[in-house]
Each structure stands twice: as structure tokens, then as C-alpha cells.
Amino acid sequence: MFMLNNNPLPVGRAFTANGIQYPANWLRLASAAEKAAIGITEVADTVRADDRFYWNGDVNLPKELADREEVDADGNPMWVQVLNNSDPANPVMVDSDERLVAKGLKSQWIAQVKDTAGKQLADTDWMVIRKAERDIAIPADVVAKRAAIIAEADRLEAAIAAANDINAFIAVVSDQRWGE
Amino acid sequence: MSVLGNNILAGASGQGGVYTIDRSLRFRSSASAYLNRTPASAGNRKTWTWSGWVKFGSLTGTYTRLFSTGTSANNRTEILFITNTNQIRFFSTVTGTSRGLIDTAAYLRDPSAWYHLVVSLDASSTTLTMYINGVQQTLTTSTAIANVDHMVNATNTHSIGRYWGAGNHFDGYMTEINFVDGQALDASSFGEYNSDTGVWQPIKYVGTYGTNGFYLNFSDNSTTTTLGYDTSGNGNNWTANNISVTSGATYDSMTDVPTLTDDDAANYATLNPINPLSNGTEVDGNLKTTLGVNGIGYPTIPFPTSGKWYAEITCTATTTYGIAIGLTSTPTASLGTVDSNFYGYYNANGNKYVATVISSYGSSWFGARTDVIGVAFDADTRELTMYLNGASQGVLATLPSGREWFLTGQHWSGTGSHIQYWNFGQRPFAYTPPTGFKSLNTYNLPDSTIVDGSQYFDVRTWSGDSVTPKAVVTDLGFQPDLIWAKTRSTTYDHMLFDSVRGAGSTKDLSSNTTSAEGTSGASYGYVSSIDSAGFTVTKGSLATNVLNQSGQTFAAWNWKANGSGVSNTDGSITSTVSANTTAGFSIVTYTGTGSAATVGHGLGVAPSMIIVKPRTPTSTSDNWEVYHASLGNTQFLTLNTSAAAVTASNRWNNTTPTSSVFTIGTIPSSSADNYVAYLFADVEGYSKFGSYTGNGSTDGPFVYTGFRPAFVLFKRTDSTSDWHLYDTTRSTYNVIAAALYADISNAENSGQPFDILSNGFKLRVAGGELNTSSATIIYMAFAENPFKNSLAR
């Protein structure tokens, strides 16, 4: 990655340095000495940290794991806002009685695990209903598969809850074993 | 080297011309197509690079293989496309022990364009790297790479397009496959960014290949044998299996390629399997669909609004069905009956369906046989002519203006199914198209005025450090005339500044409040200057700096207008206008009169969306009023609330904006009150303002924008919902989910998932505010690049 004045300089884009405009293909064609002469340096590319877990792709800015009750810029508690539509021509948003909570990664991913498990179980839910309503046995392989799905969801939820830093958390959610 | 007068073009590794590709090879999963080769001697089993351009066909199934080798299930190394999750996977197992299981975090399920995939293995340093379109990917590692000899480059059979043994066939297209034995290369050996568009494009690989390296461009289609020729110089030729160069529907040497080569070779339209209304079974590079009762096929690209276009659909049936071929302007055409949006040719009696009128037209193509229906659409005159096995049936109709027309093939009646083979010209047509009619590919699409959206709209993020003043954004490709900033990590208000009102501590507006201009800037921070390529922020009197607080993260959406504005007298109220007619964006300030009035906007075309805010509110209304063309001139929305659309004449005076003015009712025209308005017009290939109807499914609506979006704003209009804001800077790969909301100050959260595509977007959420069944949702979208230039995402 090329840098000019501490800013990344994309290859293939025109740019201006010291008041001189350079064409889009200049970076690719210029020698190292020519680049250095106008203050362009080359640094190793940084791999963007996973935006699911880090802010701005920066490995130094992990997202929070836990839920957080929000406060405003003055530190006052914030509340979930709801629509007051008593005058439809002039709608307004008003505070409710519910505290505004920013969901942390743990809450978000536990919800995702529940969703995944629910979708996987849904394929065979009808067999459970059939068993309850008509006492038709659920095939053993289906029973085993459903148990495995539930066990994996339980394992993941427990592991997510137990993760005490971002690296441990990423390790947990990167190792989901739902089977094929 | 001279700075000026350098006329060397980008591309082709600086050799003076843009590098282009002529051919691709289609892999028909239905035919179990694949290539194979067994090396005579082993190469480097720890270090290699696979680079290829790939366009996906069928997205169903489980694990298809792009590249695979092995001797048993316990000894294999593979690059997979996981079709049920749409991720790329590297998997290697040696003597039954997993030696690497790594997936992309990104979901790749855009069948409308090409991806460039590079997989680079350096097992000695236990490293595997993947690149999509030149970007190093975020990977999820289940099993780390082991420093062992893997199976690639051993003397076992290697396959392209299938599992090492048999089965799990890839469906789609590949071209420009470079395999380098003994080097772990990055994507820059095989591609570069186009200097005009900023889009990744192929370059000729000029390095060495190593013992088992090869280069396949599939350009010699003399025979199926020559298709597999390695042109690296190594002579490591591959054997094509179940590949055909016999003319007809199975012809696999395609001119569907990732470069704008010529009018015959470019990225082609196909059937669109991710349009839920295209409900057949699409396979074979999405050129074959099996349509059952109520089956419909839709393409990835509509016919452009100018030019002459030709396509063929070959219908094959073993018994008698009711089949219709035609054009539709909405993907909701009723089957088997008249529809105001459908113009087509019905097989059973040769009748034509012209909107709501059925009448005699051409020959019937009734029966259990194969017929080729040619569709010729002259978009300049809007005349639609159908052909039956090469014979014109005459002009079917002159279609209404102002609509996008999609080719459609439909199964109207008859239990069972029939097969349609679609051909937009990526393989030879069965019959010569009428003179002057073109194939539907990206080369032939009209050029867009804006080829790089980032020259007019762009997104930046930054991390706060409490330095003040601080130039937090410095590298835009333009001076931002509208800056809309928001903290990502906490609940600070949205902050909007523009170059007409100017920067400063008295100029802040917030989309999530009714506050007057300058309510919070002096206390909490503000944009203190709008710079040539960004902006500077300054702290207010209080400790919290809502634009650069240490420990917080921020995003800003930036639009280019035209500076500080000029006086405009086109309306009954004199306005100050900063208009960018190229980008369809203007900033307007005016003073209300207490009465309905017209206000000049300077766009030269009618705006599709208008956002108006009183700067010094009175008691009449402090709200942000929103006009959207999809709602018409009788309804309004409020940007600072979640309210549904409301019908009232006092916003837009029931008058549609014109190319020179917009009309305001009494509410956005309080006497002596000052207003700012942001106006946006559709610009083909750059911006679009439309609506869609939710279907309540994770297989949600596909919305064609004609560009690869960089930003999408959504609002459900028939019920309460927040205003969702998404962009590709905060969500760097699909699924897109990082949501902020214009009407509330909530921190960024995982919103309602959808995919951004090369030509639009697709909802991936069942229900919710963006996809409740039958709900109406409006959107506003800006481009990274027009579809003509875009790669798949």
C-alpha cells in the first residue's frame, strides 16, 4: 500500500501532490525513486479486521461483547423512542418506559444461534407434531439429528456466554458444527 | 518520467491496451461437466496459487468443486463453492486428518456478473489467503493450515468443476484460470484496478508457472480437446469431459466474459435464479430453466431504454402446454390471463396478449416439439416483434414508454413442465438476428455518465481521538457539499452540514430531531470547515465531541453538489441552489411565504426524492418532510419519525415536481421561515429511487437498480418503520447488515440482512421492516459503479 502524507494512495487513481496533478497510471509506472521523490512511501498492506467483530476494520477496536444501557452525550439515561401519531399530520417520536440497550456481540450471536437452530429444526418439526397428534414415531435418525442440533445450540450459547475477550469469542463463533 | 503527456493506458500491465478476454467455458452441472488432468510428476505440494474468473450458475445443491484433487475421501485438497451457504471453502485432509478448513466470511451469490477468485497456499508458513475481486478476504478458520504436503501437485487426478472422484459438479462459467506451482502469489499478479472506474480487472499473468502450472483461457474452441489446452507454455493440457462444442443449447464455448471485449464478448444476461419470481429450476449457467405450472423465467438484465435488442428462447416440450413468451414491465405479471404489464405471444393459438387485449397474431407453436422463439425489441421505437423458428410474426405491439422491460417465458397451463433454453447471444443464435439488433451484454449497454460513483458520493469511517480541530476525512474524490455524519458506536445524534448553509457551530441539523439549525454544535461539536477532499470537525464547549470523541467510531455519507450555490428564480420563491446536474443532486435554501409556492432546484430534470427541513422552525411543523416519487405528490413521510406515509395536500400541494421547480404546500412554507431542501433525481447507472413489495421470505425480492449500490436507504411506507441506512463501507461483504437509522440516534446494530449485487440488491430477511409480506418499501440508492462496469459482489 502506498502512502502520501499519511493517507493511503490507491493504485489506479489520479492524485495531487505538492500542487501537481498526477495521472491515474502514474503510480504503477513510476520507479521507487520517483515515488520517494514526491514523498510517497510503501507500507505492508494491513488485512482488514473482520467488521463483524471490530469497528472500522481495526483490530484495535473490538466491538463490545456485553449489552450496554445507553446514555446520551451528557450521560443521561436514554429510552427507546416510539411514534406518537396522535396527530398523523405532525408525527413525533417520544420516549417510552423501556431503556435503550445496545446489544453486544454475545446477545447478537446467541440470537443468531437460536435462529440457525430453529431453521434447522424446522425441517423436521412436522414429525414432532405428527408424533404428538397421531403418535407416529419419529425416525431414529431424525431424533438423533434434532438432538445434535439442540446440543450444538446449547454448546454454542454456553461458549459464547463464557467468552471473556474478543479472541475467545471469535474462536467460539468460528467453530460452529451444525453438520451438513 | 514525464508527469504530463503520458498517454499510456491502464490495463494490460502497462502495455498500452486494456487486457480483454474472448471466451469462457460453461460447466453444465446437468451434464456432469468437468476438466481433468493427472500430473506426470509431482510439483510443490505446499505452495501454489489458483486464480480464476468465475460466474455462478445454479446456486442450489451443497458442495460443488471449483478445483479438486485426491485419492480418497481421506486424502484430498479442494477449493469448493458451498452452494447452500454461498461461501468459498478451502479444504484439505491428508490420511484422514483435516489439514485446513477455511471459509470466506463473505457470501457469494450474485449470478449476474463475474468474480475474480485467488486462492494462495503457503503451507510452509501455515498460511492460506483468498482474494475476491482483488480484495483480501476475511476468512473463518475451522482448521488451520498444516505444514504438510497437501494433495494438489501430487501425481493424482486433478479436476476442475467436480469432486476429486466424481459428482458435486460446479455449475456456471470459468475463464482465465492461472495455476502457479511453487509460488504463493497475491491478486495483483492477475489483476489491477481500472483507472477510470476503480473496478478490478484482469491483467495478463507474466510470471513463471512451475512444473505443474497451467493457463486455461478456453479460447481455442476448434474441438473439445483444444478447449483444454494449456497456453502457459508448459503444455499441461486438460481433458474436457461432458463439454460440447456442437451448436445448439449444449454449446459450451461462451462469449460471456468478465471484460468489455467487444459487442460479442462481455458479461451477458442470463436467467436470474435469485429473483424469487423466476421460479423455475435454473441450471447450466442459468441458460436452462424447467418451468412447471405457473413457472416464470426472468433475466438478470432488462432491455435498455434505447437501442435494438434480440434474444431467443428455445422451448422444448414432450406434450402440449400453454406457453407464453414476451416482455413484462413488472415481475408480477398474472399468468394465463390479460395483464396490463405483459405483452406476449401465446403458443396454443398464436394469439398476442397486448396488455388487456387478446387478439390474433401469428402461427401457433402448439405441440410436443422444439421451437425457437426470437424476441426483437426496438427500444427506440418500443416495437416488439416475435419470430417463430426464424420467421417474423410481425410487430406484436408498440410498448408504453417510461418502463423497464424484462424478457419473460411462462408456463401458463398443462400439468407437468417444459424446458426453456435462453440465449442472449453468449452462444450462437439459432437464427440470424434482424439487422442492427444486438445481444444483451454489458458491452452493448449504454454508457453511463458516471462510471465511478465515488466521484460524486462516498462513505468514510473514522475512529475518534478527541483531537480538535481534526480533519477526520481527507481523501474523498471531491469536495463534499452535503455531509451526513453519525456515530456508529454510540447514540450521538446524526449531524448534517452542507456547503450552501456553510460549516460552523451554528449550522448543524439532525435528522433524528426537530431541532432548529445550530441547536447543539456549539456544545457538542460541529463541522468547522468543508475541505477540498473532506471536512474538519471541532469540539464544542462541553466535554463530549459527537464527531470525534475518543473511543467512539463514526461514519459520514458525502455527496457532491456544486459549491455554495447561486440564486435561482425559476420558482415563485427565489432560492439559492447548488446543483450538480451530472449526479442529479441539488441543495436548495429558500424562505417561506406562508402560502403554497414553487421553488427552483436547478437539476434540469424532475427530482425523485426531496427532503425539506425548516432551519428556524415555527410551531407549524418542525419535521423533516420527505417527498418520494413512488408515493406521488399527495403523500409525505417524516425523516425524523417512523411514521407511515400520510396523505395531505399541505406538503407538496398535490403537484409533482418538474424539471425546474418543486411545489410546496403551506407546511414547508411558513412565513419568513428559512428552509433547506436536498433534492435527488434518478441518474441511470448511478442513483435510483424506487419501491418494492415485500414477500416475507428469506428468499426476498430482487430489486434491479442497474448499478452496484454503495448505499441504500429504506423506509416502509404502509406502516410504522425506522429509516434504515446501509452502505458497503461499513458492511464490506455480503450479507449487508450494519444498520443505522435516520430517525433515531441508536448505535449501529445488526439490522435486516440483504445482499448488495452487481446490478441491484436482494432482501434476505423474512418479514421485518424491510420485507413484510405485501408491505411497500421505498428506497434510495447510490452506486459504486454502473452494472456495465461492475463485478459480482
Side-chain angles (χ1 to χ4, degrees), chain B residues 12-30:
Chain B
S13 297
Q15 297 306 304
V18 174
Y19 185 68
T20 56
I21 297 169
D22 296 326
R23 292 258 163 199
S24 66
L25 188 64
R26 177 174 64 158
F27 292 75
R28 285 176 290 124
S29 61
S30 69

Side-chain angles (χ1 to χ4, degrees), chain B residues 482-486 493-498 501-502 504-521 525-527 546-547 587-589 611-617 622-624 639-640 674-678 742:
Chain B
L482 170 59
I483 301 161
W484 181 342
K486 172 74 179 80
D493 288 340
H494 294 256
M495 299 286 271
L496 286 86
F497 296 83
D498 63 67
R501 294 182 300 114
S505 63
T506 60
K507 300 298 182 183
D508 54 285
L509 288 169
S510 174
S511 67
N512 61 295
T513 75
T514 57
S515 299
E517 181 179 83
T519 296
S520 63
Y526 54 94
V527 170
V546 299
L547 289 170
I587 304 169
V588 176
T589 59
I611 302 171
V612 180
K613 175 72 175 84
R615 300 165 61 185
T616 52
D622 301 338
N623 282 334
W624 293 75
L639 185 65
N640 54 294
N674 294 320
Y675 292 85
V676 62
Y678 305 115

